[in-house]
């Protein structure tokens, strides 16, 4: 048994140490921590990645998943996020199929089970990291560190920083990536099952399988490719027993034995490194070719430090971000769904007190690195090396070192690095226990951390159940984050609370005067409240800041149309279409503008464009039918109505419009059937009953006409046209009664 395990004997009882029971405990604890999120809604990024992602629906060919990004856009598009995760999207699609639609519970349950499974797998991973690789004669790996591996797995299972990955459905990308990352690492370990003999013989099959699993991890999330680097570090420093201190001493003393260094003469190691390097290079090449137009374009609000002019400012802020990530691992109490947009102000001078965090981070890292590479204790070297490897290597894609990333701090990218943190923390507890007599105090601290983290996971999972709770929870963490205020405002607006929404949108614009999306949404609300002058000012400023913001151009056109500034409105609509060619809603609004100007042919063409781009655009179809009806083109109106109903057979508004046309064409029977079908779909529409009554009135079915006039007036007593027609019918019925008398 490993020395570290002996030091932890007083913390974990021997009764839970057999691997089966250890895994069962870890799996159940992981489920308990995040079970509260099982019936949560789709929140934050889930809307774009799942609800609005057409790749999940059966109508989209499966082959399209390999050409689209995580959000459903074509990778070749300049607006694509370039996040290529087809296997994750495939699991969403399977979830959608099995759930019978967008029912979030099924999606959340899968995430919780994935985290539980990964936590169980961590028992084996930590067993390798703490106990090393030793096999029986039958090829079974010995579990030499059951206590330390169980403790580290429990620390991993209950870490609150994982809440975003587990409770947020889009976090499945990180979960799947971690699953195949760990399988790749364990697969690589199996290549050394015969390593008891001098001159280790590796299995090429296991190395190749490890590379394949690394590729699968990368197809779940880009971070997965880093497992190849971790495997290389494991092979060189642990399997190859490369001792940096020994090498440095030999170099300094010009020792000739350096030429006979075993690692350099080990053909198996060089072969494995060649396979890993070739596999990694091939994966990167294919990934780059698939991306098409190069890396995504991020804005300054996404990652302010990367846009700083001074290299020193960039370096200081990047390192400050690293220290914040380290703090989230150490003290995961202040968690936020988004850390951008002013949440973390830039450090612009070395006199800023936050520079202390950088110094503390590097002081700890350098100390750990020195111990990991130069310690004479090989057991200590292995644990610290692999702990730092798991901590640093998976984090590299998010570090801004190789390319600009689209965030400042993201809790989700700490899912894999937290493995390294758990290794180092467990090692630290073992070291403390070894050098202190207060072992019960150490045990109490460990149990306290586990309990507090579990409690924090339960609370944080509850906050991820709905957008309102999630967004409001961020106010205390990042009150300067404009996106937090924007999302609260959007959530309030969706619920109809426009007054409160305006307040949060204004605060978002105050915090970030270039926040065009907040300006656009605020302009929309002001437009609906008929505060057109301010709405126009806001939307004009939004398109001035971001000239290719198509939605803002369209909304500006709507406001200008309401202000009777028709030429300006037409120009704004044209600008929107210029920047987004396939924009059916803009064509619809352009058609309304032309209809107001009595440019009927142009209006019909605009609405036809809207229906070509979006065949289910009910409003555009309806407007075409009504315009043709009003201009006396009944035959054409009928043809358009029938075409629309073929595409949208259950739309009651289309049934109503076509029924009106058929009634005027004296096709009473067919018109009646459509009116009744529309009323069945929407029984409380006063106009449906009123127009059916008019049909019966014309047709001579006066009793039925009287019945539906009365229903219509019950639903809308102020309908003047219906009142007038009902009055005419009553007088006609009275005259008929007098004649009969």
């Amino acid at each position: 048994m490993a020395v570290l395990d002996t030091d932890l004997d007083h913390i974990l009882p021997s009764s839970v140490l057999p691997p089966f029971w250890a895994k069962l405990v870890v799996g159940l604890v992981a489920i308990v921590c995040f079970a509260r999120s099982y019936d949560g809604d789709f929140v934050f990024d889930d809307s774009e990645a799942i609800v609005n992602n057409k790749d999940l629906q059966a109508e989209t060919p499966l082959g399209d998943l390999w050409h689209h990004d995580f959000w459903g856009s074509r990778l070749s598009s300049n607006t694509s996020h370039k996040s290529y995760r087809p296997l994750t999207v495939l699991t969403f699609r399977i979830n959608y199929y099995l759930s019978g639609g967008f029912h979030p519970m099924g999606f959340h349950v899968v995430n919780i089970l994935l985290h539980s499974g990964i936590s169980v797998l961590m028992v084996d991973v930590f067993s390798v990291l703490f106990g090393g690789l030793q096999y029986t004669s039958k090829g079974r790996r010995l579990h030499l560190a059951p206590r330390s591996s169980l403790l580290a797995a429990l620390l991993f299972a209950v870490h609150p920083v994982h809440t975003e990955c587990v409770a947020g459905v889009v976090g499945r990308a990180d979960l799947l990536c971690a699953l195949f990352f760990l399988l790749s690492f364990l697969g690589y370990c199996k290549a050394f099952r015969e390593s008891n003999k001098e001159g280790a013989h590796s299995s090429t099959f296991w190395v190749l399988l490890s590379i394949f699993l690394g590729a699968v991890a990368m197809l779940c999330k880009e971070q997965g490719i880093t497992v190849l680097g971790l495997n290389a570090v494991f092979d060189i420093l642990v399997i190859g027993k490369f001792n940096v201190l020994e090498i440095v001493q030999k170099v300094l003393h010009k020792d000739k034995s350096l030429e006979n260094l075993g690692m350099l003469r080990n053909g198996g190691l060089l072969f494995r490194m060649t396979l890993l390097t070739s596999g990694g290079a091939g994966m990167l090449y294919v990934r780059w070719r698939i991306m098409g137009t190069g890396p995504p374009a991020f804005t300054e609000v996404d990652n302010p430090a990367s846009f700083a002019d001074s290299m020193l400012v960039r370096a200081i802020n990047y390192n400050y971000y690293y220290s914040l990530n380290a703090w989230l691992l150490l003290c995961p109490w202040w968690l936020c769904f988004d850390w951008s947009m002013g949440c973390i102000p830039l450090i612009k001078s070395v006199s800023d007190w936050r520079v202390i965090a950088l110094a503390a981070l590097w002081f700890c890292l350098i100390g750990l690195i020195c111990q990991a590479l130069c310690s004479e204790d090989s057991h200590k070297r292995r644990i610290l090396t692999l702990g730092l490897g798991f901590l640093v290597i998976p984090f590299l894609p998010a570090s801004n070192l190789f390319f600009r990333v689209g965030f400042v701090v993201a809790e989700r990218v700490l899912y894999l690095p937290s493995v390294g943190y758990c290794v180092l923390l467990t090692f630290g507890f073992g070291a403390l226990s070894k050098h202190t007599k207060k072992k019960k105090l150490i045990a109490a601290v460990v149990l306290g951390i586990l309990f507090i983290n579990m409690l924090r996971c339960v609370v944080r999972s509850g906050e991820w159940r709905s957008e309102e709770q999630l967004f409001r929870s961020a106010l205390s963490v990042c009150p300067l984050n404009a996106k937090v205020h924007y999302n609260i405002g959007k959530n309030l607006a969706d619920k109809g609370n426009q007054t409160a929404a305006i307040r949060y949108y204004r605060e978002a614009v105050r915090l970030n005067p270039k926040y065009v999306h907040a300006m656009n949404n605020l302009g929309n609300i002001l437009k609906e409240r008929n505060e057109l002058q301010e709405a126009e000012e806001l939307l004009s400023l939004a398109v001035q800041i971001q000239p290719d913001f198509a939605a803002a151009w369209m909304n500006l056109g709507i406001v200008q149309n309401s202000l009777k500034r028709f030429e300006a409105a037409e120009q704004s609509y044209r600008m929107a279409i210029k920047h987004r060619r396939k924009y059916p809603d803009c064509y619809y609004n352009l058609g309304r503008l032309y209809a107001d100007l009595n440019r009927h042919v142009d209006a019909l063409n605009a609405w036809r464009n809207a229906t070509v781009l979006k065949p289910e655009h009910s409003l555009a179809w309806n407007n075409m039918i009504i315009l043709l009806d009003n201009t006396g083109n009944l035959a054409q109106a009928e043809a358009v109505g029938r075409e629309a109903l073929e595409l949208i057979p259950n739309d009651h508004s289309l049934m109503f419009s076509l029924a009106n046309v058929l009634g005027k064409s004296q096709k009473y029977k067919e018109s009646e059937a459509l009116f009744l079908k529309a009323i069945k779909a929407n029984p409380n529409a006063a106009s449906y009953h009123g127009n059916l009554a008019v049909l019966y009135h014309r047709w001579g079915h006066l009793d039925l006409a009287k019945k539906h006039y009365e229903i219509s007036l019950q639903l809308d007593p102020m309908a003047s046209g219906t009142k007038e027609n009902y009055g005419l019918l009553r007088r006609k019925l009275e005259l008929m009664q007098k004649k009969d008398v």
Side-chain angles (χ1 to χ4, degrees), residues 42 46-65 68 70-72 88-98 100-103 107 614 616:
F42 290 122
D46 294 348
S47 298
E48 289 302 314
I50 297 167
V51 180
N52 298 329
N53 191 345
K54 291 185 178 180
D55 285 348
L56 271 65
Q57 299 173 22
E59 297 78 33
T60 304
L62 275 172
D64 284 4
L65 268 63
H68 291 176
F70 188 53
W71 314 94
T88 303
V89 178
L90 181 61
T91 67
F92 290 154
R93 182 161 175 153
I94 294 169
N95 246 141
Y96 175 83
Y97 174 77
L98 294 177
F102 292 114
H103 304 296
F107 290 82
K614 186 179 177 182
E616 67 276 15

Side-chain angles (χ1 to χ4, degrees), residues 508-622:
V509 174
R510 186 190 70 80
L511 291 168
N512 183 359
K514 294 184 178 180
Y515 200 171
V516 292
H517 292 284
M519 293 175 189
N520 180 56
N521 287 16
L522 179 55
N524 264 341
I525 293 180
L526 294 174
K527 174 191 71 182
E528 291 171 14
R529 292 162 72 99
N530 209 34
E531 298 176 32
L532 301 177
Q533 208 64 47
E534 187 182 357
E536 184 181 23
E537 290 172 7
L538 280 165
L539 293 166
S540 297
L541 181 58
V543 297
Q544 184 181 337
I545 295 168
Q546 187 178 326
D548 63 346
F549 192 2
W553 278 115
M554 183 188 76
N555 290 324
L556 179 59
I558 295 171
V559 171
Q560 290 166 336
N561 193 7
S562 301
L563 290 168
K564 310 298 181 185
R565 296 178 54 209
F566 299 122
E567 288 185 16
E570 183 179 4
Q571 187 178 357
S572 294
Y573 288 140
R574 290 293 178 192
M575 288 296 290
I577 292 166
K578 175 186 174 183
H579 294 298
R580 190 191 299 178
R581 293 183 181 279
K582 296 180 179 180
Y583 203 172
D585 288 341
C586 192
Y587 276 111
Y588 165 73
N589 284 301
L590 181 61
R592 288 184 60 189
L593 168 67
Y594 289 145
D596 290 343
L597 296 173
N598 291 321
R599 293 166 57 179
H600 296 158
V601 174
D602 289 334
L604 290 170
N605 287 335
W607 289 328
R608 176 58 72 177
N609 283 332
T611 58
V612 168
L613 293 170
K614 186 179 177 182
E616 67 276 15
H617 204 304
S618 173
L619 291 172
W621 285 114
N622 247 319

Side-chain angles (χ1 to χ4, degrees), residues 180-485:
F180 290 106
F181 184 104
L182 298 174
L183 289 173
S184 173
F185 175 73
L186 290 173
Y188 197 80
C189 292
K190 286 184 178 291
F192 306 100
R193 280 190 296 183
E194 299 176 19
S195 61
N196 301 354
K197 303 172 184 178
E198 191 175 342
H201 295 88
S202 66
S203 168
T204 304
F205 167 77
W206 287 110
V207 176
L208 291 174
L209 179 62
S210 174
I211 293 170
F212 171 75
L213 289 170
V216 173
M218 191 178 77
L219 290 174
C220 296
K221 191 175 181 181
E222 297 77 3
Q223 194 179 16
I225 194 174
T226 58
V227 71
L228 303 184
L230 184 74
N231 289 343
V233 169
F234 175 75
D235 201 340
I236 294 169
L237 297 181
V238 179
I239 303 300
K241 294 182 172 58
F242 182 74
N243 188 330
V244 175
L245 179 62
E246 181 184 340
I247 300 300
V248 170
Q249 289 174 342
K250 287 183 177 182
V251 168
L252 292 174
H253 294 91
K254 299 181 180 179
D255 194 330
K256 291 185 178 180
S257 65
L258 188 65
E259 298 173 6
N260 300 319
L261 197 62
M263 189 193 78
L264 299 175
R265 298 170 63 85
N266 189 334
L269 174 63
L270 293 175
F271 178 64
R272 292 192 297 274
M273 291 303 104
T274 302
L275 286 179
L276 288 175
T277 305
S278 302
M283 288 155 65
L284 285 173
Y285 174 74
V286 172
R287 176 73 175 81
W288 185 259
R289 288 296 302 268
I290 289 172
M291 268 187 12
T293 57
F298 295 113
T299 62
E300 188 174 351
V301 294
D302 297 319
N303 186 354
S306 65
F307 286 85
D309 295 328
S310 168
M311 186 178 291
L312 177 63
V313 171
R314 288 202 299 273
I316 289 173
N317 281 279
Y318 288 160
N319 280 275
Y320 180 62
Y321 296 163
Y322 306 156
S323 66
L324 285 176
N325 280 285
W327 182 249
L328 286 175
L329 289 173
L330 284 167
C331 184
W333 207 254
W334 293 276
L335 299 175
C336 184
F337 72 93
D338 187 276
W339 293 82
S340 63
M341 288 206 177
C343 186
I344 305 169
L346 279 180
I347 297 175
K348 297 180 180 179
S349 168
V350 290
S351 61
D352 193 312
W353 67 269
R354 290 176 291 170
V355 173
I356 297 170
L358 281 67
L361 172 70
W362 281 105
F363 177 79
C364 295
L365 276 179
I366 291 169
L368 287 169
I369 291 168
C370 289
Q371 289 293 310
L373 298 180
C374 303
S375 174
E376 294 181 0
D377 183 347
S378 61
H379 177 70
K380 184 178 181 180
R381 279 204 315 272
R382 183 187 71 245
I383 293 175
L384 291 179
T385 298
L386 293 176
L388 285 169
F390 265 101
L391 182 69
V392 174
I393 293 173
F395 183 75
L396 288 174
S399 66
N400 285 291
L401 290 177
F402 305 109
F403 44 80
R404 177 184 290 155
V405 297
F407 52 85
V408 175
V409 173
E411 292 156 24
R412 60 187 176 276
V413 303
L414 294 176
Y415 193 82
L416 273 170
S418 67
V419 176
Y421 161 78
C422 294
V423 170
L424 298 176
L425 189 61
T426 303
F427 179 80
F429 283 134
L432 276 174
S433 178
K434 183 178 180 180
H435 294 98
T436 184
K437 294 179 180 179
K438 298 179 179 179
K439 299 187 184 298
K440 289 185 178 179
L441 178 62
I442 302 294
V445 169
V446 171
L447 293 174
I449 289 173
L450 290 173
F451 177 75
I452 290 170
N453 279 0
M454 282 186 70
L455 185 64
R456 181 68 177 124
C457 285
V458 172
V459 173
R460 186 64 178 156
S461 294
E463 291 171 349
W464 273 86
R465 283 163 54 102
S466 71
E467 286 194 331
E468 182 179 6
Q469 293 179 77
L470 178 64
F471 297 154
R472 289 192 179 277
S473 71
L475 279 176
S476 59
V477 182
C478 285
L480 299 179
N481 188 337
K483 190 181 282 189
V484 170
H485 295 272

